[in-house]
Amino acid sequence: QVQLVESGGGLVQAGGSLRLSCTVSRAIGLIKTMAWYRQAPGKERSLVATITREDDTNYVDSVKGRFTISRDNARNTMYLQMNSLKPEDTAVYYCNVQYFGSYWGQGTQVTVSS
C-alpha cells in the first residue's frame, strides 16, 4: 500500500505563491511518474503536471511558466511550486502515484482570491 499526504494549500491573493507538498510512504525514487491533479468546483479532475523518475516534467498549458513540479527523493516528497496564482487556479489539488496501482492523496484546497 502507498499513502500520500498533501499539504501546503491555503488562501492566497491573486499573484501570490504557494508550494504544495506530497509526502509518500514509499521511496519515490522507485516511482516512474508522479503527478499533480486538480479539481475545481463543478469541473472534472484534470492533470496539472507530471514528473518522471528522470525529472522529465510536463505541464498543462494553463500553468506553464507559473508552476514547477519537482521531487526530492531523499524526503520522499513531491512538490508543486505555484507562482503568479490566478483565481482560475482555485481547486482541490491531488497528488497521484502509480505504483502497482493508482494512489491519491486526500487533496489540499487552494483558493486564490482577487
Side-chain angles (χ1 to χ4, degrees):
Q1 299 293 333
V2 178
Q3 278 72 50
L4 315 178
V5 178
E6 295 151 316
S7 61
L11 175 63
V12 65
Q13 293 281 350
S17 298
L18 288 171
R19 187 176 72 166
L20 307 184
S21 299
C22 172
T23 300
V24 183
S25 65
R26 294 288 184 270
I28 65 170
L30 303 176
I31 300 172
K32 292 181 179 179
T33 304
M34 302 175 65
W36 286 99
Y37 287 73
R38 66 185 180 186
Q39 186 167 21
K43 302 291 186 179
E44 299 294 323
R45 189 174 301 185
S46 62
L47 182 66
V48 177
T50 62
I51 185 166
T52 70
R53 185 190 299 153
E54 297 76 30
D55 285 331
D56 187 21
T57 60
N58 287 282
Y59 302 89
V60 67
D61 285 346
S62 60
V63 309
K64 286 181 179 177
R66 300 189 296 119
F67 290 12
T68 303
I69 187 171
S70 63
R71 60 197 292 168
D72 185 339
N73 292 351
R75 299 181 65 182
N76 290 332
T77 300
M78 178 177 66
Y79 301 96
L80 186 67
Q81 178 67 46
M82 306 186 296
N83 298 325
S84 301
L85 282 162
K86 304 175 180 180
E88 299 94 306
D89 298 317
T90 295
V92 178
Y93 284 71
Y94 297 91
C95 179
N96 175 254
V97 169
Q98 300 288 336
Y99 188 80
F100 302 100
S102 184
Y103 298 89
W104 298 88
Q106 81 286 355
T108 185
Q109 176 71 50
V110 172
T111 303
V112 184
S113 63
S114 63

